[in-house]
Amino acid sequence: MPSLDVWLLFLMVALAASVGKRLTIWAGLAACGFFLVLRVFRIGDTAVPLYLNRPFNLYIDSGYIFDLFDLLKTSARQGEFLILAVKGLVVTLGVTFTSWYAWRATAGVLTNRPLRNAFLGASVFIISALWIWGWPGARPPAMLRFGQEIVAIPGQFRATQAFGNRLEQAAKEREAGPASLQGLEGANVLLFMVESYGRTVFSRPIYRPAMEKTMEHFADLLDRHGFSAVSSFLVSPTYGGSSWLAHSTLESGLRVANDLEDNLLLHSNLPPIATYFRRSGYRTVSVMPGTRFSFPEGDYFGYEQVYYAHHFNYDGPSFGWAPMPDQYVLDWVRHREFVNPRRPLFVRYVLISTHAAYNIQPAFIADWNRIGDGSIYNEHPPVYYPIYWPDLKNAGEAYLRSLDYEFRTLGDYLARYVEGNALIIIMGDHQPNLQLTGTGESWSVPVHVISRNPRFLTAFAKRGYAPGLIPTQSPPHAGMETLLPGFLQDFR
């Protein structure tokens, strides 16, 4: 499609050329630089809606460049990232040099007065004609979208300020509400956040049969060990990525829609979920094996004990983005927290074996006693799928296999090691990539509540949760931020 952006840059160089040769050279360099900026902007403006199912936000999304680099690096097989990096560098340098050469040549041509006047005259004629008949060029022009994003930045700050006001108000209301969880009667509470576990596995016909089979095996194992379950859907604040927004929303009881709001939350005095468990005599534990970098802001969540990737002393291979398998994580935490506990436990797990790109997945270890330091995974070849970022259109089978692994691991773990009337909550953090869900999907994620104590499940059933492990509720669904306020009311 004809590009209005490129035409306007031509006009800029042509007008500069009418002033003088020196200005023409600088205008050519400026046009080249702006052209490259618009090209990168257009990539972001195309990719973000494609993968995250929301509009591109220049101010916020530009901060994800390092995260994208890290995701590409960790998701590739050994040696693949080096090849990808070399290709990326060659393409970047090639495009930069070619653009510079093209704009320098353009500036040179437009210093010729007859050619410049012909171009300017043709521009007036063609633009006038297209204005009358309707412009058929690429829409919207990148310059227009770029300008819209720049103009929108002050509004984002105002919206963030309004969120800060809601934070302060919510903190006051929360402190005046129920402060204990005596209704749990000292039962352990285990909260599992399953990466990329979205409603799409139940709503899309291409996924539902396989997912139903996975849940049937999971339900059978739970039934044989005295567990019952109720399930529902909750709306996540994010889609296809940015899992931390879901974590912050769930644990604060306030919808956190972007990184600006998340930063305010992490420096606020709004009590998160762990605070209430701690006040009720629980030992609170956060398990985040996918967190490989320093995260001092995580102190906001108020956990007594936090386990990040470097705490696990894992001696096996990584599996794509996941530095270790979830089965290893569950076993490692079990040995350190569930052997002769002195207080009831609230443990929040952020599971990672279902993280995109699903191309490298661990084997399930049937004998948990052999897991040890994780070196056993060197003896069990990973399960590979021919998936390469950023194309996930063929990742459906791998995505379903990762969830089957997750629920097989969770089912075996609950059956073997969870005793008494523990309350277990298993839920997704967000839908997977838009290439996997297709368009038109809601932002909802499944949530399963499991226990041997029917009274615990009754509290959730009164809020619309249906019996079993396959949620059946139709949209609209309640937001993820509603779980904490309801939980505090039901178990005070």
Side-chain angles (χ1 to χ4, degrees):
M1 303 292 287
S3 171
L4 180 61
D5 303 296
V6 175
W7 200 315
L8 290 175
L9 291 176
F10 282 160
L11 286 173
M12 179 186 75
V13 177
L15 293 174
S18 64
V19 176
K21 185 174 182 180
R22 180 182 295 273
L23 185 60
T24 305
I25 296 173
W26 285 109
L29 289 174
C32 178
F34 198 34
F35 173 80
L36 293 173
V37 168
L38 290 176
R39 179 67 269 173
V40 173
F41 177 85
R42 179 69 86 187
I43 292 173
D45 205 28
T46 303
V48 168
L50 177 64
Y51 288 97
L52 302 182
N53 198 22
R54 62 169 175 80
F56 176 66
N57 185 301
L58 177 63
Y59 185 76
I60 294 174
D61 292 330
S62 59
Y64 291 157
I65 293 177
F66 174 77
D67 297 311
L68 176 61
F69 172 85
D70 180 67
L71 180 61
L72 291 171
K73 181 180 179 181
T74 53
S75 298
R77 301 186 194 181
Q78 188 174 7
E80 285 181 353
F81 180 73
L82 179 60
I83 297 174
L84 180 64
V86 171
K87 288 181 179 179
L89 181 61
V90 169
V91 170
T92 300
L93 292 177
V95 169
T96 301
F97 175 78
T98 304
S99 299
W100 169 79
Y101 182 83
W103 285 106
R104 189 184 68 169
T106 299
V109 168
L110 292 175
T111 57
N112 184 297
R113 179 175 295 180
L115 291 177
R116 181 174 66 249
N117 290 338
F119 170 74
L120 293 173
S123 296
V124 172
F125 174 78
I126 293 174
I127 290 177
S128 299
L130 293 176
W131 183 269
I132 295 173
W133 294 324
W135 174 254
R139 295 182 179 179
M143 287 185 183
L144 176 61
R145 281 286 299 116
F146 188 80
Q148 289 172 341
E149 288 300 309
I150 297 296
V151 171
I153 291 176
Q156 292 174 357
F157 281 105
R158 289 192 294 271
T160 303
Q161 185 177 22
F163 177 80
N165 295 335
R166 294 200 301 272
L167 262 178
E168 294 179 3
Q169 182 62 30
K172 294 177 183 178
E173 295 173 354
R174 192 76 56 78
E175 289 293 355
S180 69
L181 294 170
Q182 297 178 356
L184 292 170
E185 300 174 352
N188 288 342
V189 177
L190 311 181
L191 172 60
F192 298 94
M193 297 288 289
V194 179
E195 169 67 33
S196 298
Y197 178 36
R199 179 176 178 262
T200 191
V201 295
F202 297 111
S203 62
R204 293 198 72 185
I206 61 172
Y207 298 142
R208 186 177 176 98
M211 198 63 205
E212 285 182 339
K213 186 176 180 180
T214 292
M215 300 312 281
E216 285 173 7
H217 290 306
F218 186 46
D220 181 64
L221 197 55
L222 295 178
D223 289 341
R224 285 190 278 115
H225 290 83
F227 291 101
S228 297
V230 294
S231 300
S232 188
F233 292 111
L234 294 175
V235 179
S236 174
T238 185
Y239 196 111
S242 303
S243 303
W244 54 90
L245 300 180
H247 306 159
S248 293
T249 294
L250 177 69
E251 298 191 47
S252 70
L254 197 65
R255 186 177 186 272
V256 181
N258 57 56
D259 284 358
L260 298 178
E261 295 181 355
D262 191 47
N263 183 63
L264 280 183
L265 174 71
L266 297 181
H267 293 87
S268 74
N269 59 357
L270 179 67
I273 190 171
T275 299
Y276 297 98
F277 279 98
R278 194 174 63 250
R279 291 174 181 174
S280 300
Y282 278 73
R283 173 172 168 79
T284 57
V285 181
S286 170
V287 182
M288 302 185 71
T291 302
R292 294 176 286 111
F293 307 104
S294 176
F295 185 39
E297 298 87 352
D299 291 345
Y300 159 79
F301 294 105
Y303 287 96
E304 184 177 343
Q305 177 64 58
V306 176
Y307 295 120
Y308 295 143
H310 67 274
H311 289 108
F312 286 89
N313 301 316
Y314 176 66
D315 197 28
S318 61
F319 295 87
W321 187 87
M324 66 198 75
D326 286 339
Q327 188 178 9
Y328 174 85
V329 171
L330 296 179
D331 188 63
W332 191 92
V333 173
R334 175 178 68 87
H335 285 295
R336 282 151 185 81
E337 295 293 343
F338 288 87
V339 177
N340 299 319
R342 297 181 181 179
R343 289 178 286 158
L345 291 166
F346 169 60
V347 186
R348 191 268 275 122
Y349 301 82
V350 177
L351 302 179
I352 52 175
S353 288
T354 54
H355 197 287
Y358 320 108
N359 55 339
I360 309 173
Q361 300 184 28
F364 177 76
I365 307 299
D367 185 357
W368 290 69
N369 293 323
R370 298 184 61 206
I371 294 176
D373 62 359
S375 57
I376 188 174
Y377 289 99
N378 293 306
E379 305 170 14
H380 291 262
V383 178
Y384 288 113
Y385 288 90
I387 302 168
Y388 302 94
W389 275 107
D391 186 6
L392 296 182
K393 291 192 295 291
N394 67 332
E397 179 183 351
Y399 172 58
L400 289 170
R401 191 271 171 189
S402 72
L403 287 172
D404 187 74
Y405 164 84
E406 198 71 82
F407 280 99
R408 182 180 182 187
T409 298
L410 287 170
D412 207 43
Y413 176 79
L414 296 179
R416 288 173 182 265
Y417 301 118
V418 176
E419 302 175 348
N421 290 329
L423 176 61
I424 301 111
I425 301 175
I426 302 173
M427 62 186 300
D429 56 359
H430 55 70
Q431 290 266 40
N433 183 287
L434 189 66
Q435 288 181 309
L436 287 168
T437 66
T439 58
E441 277 280 359
S442 71
W443 289 38
S444 301
V445 298
V447 52
H448 313 290
V449 182
I450 302 166
S451 181
R452 295 186 179 95
N453 187 336
R455 187 178 66 82
F456 291 169
L457 302 186
T458 299
F460 287 89
K462 290 180 179 179
R463 294 188 177 274
Y465 285 61
L469 290 167
I470 299 181
T472 57
Q473 295 87 346
S474 300
H477 305 126
M480 192 179 286
E481 66 276 10
T482 63
L483 191 144
L484 176 57
F487 191 88
L488 296 176
Q489 289 289 335
D490 293 340
F491 294 99
R492 59 183 174 179

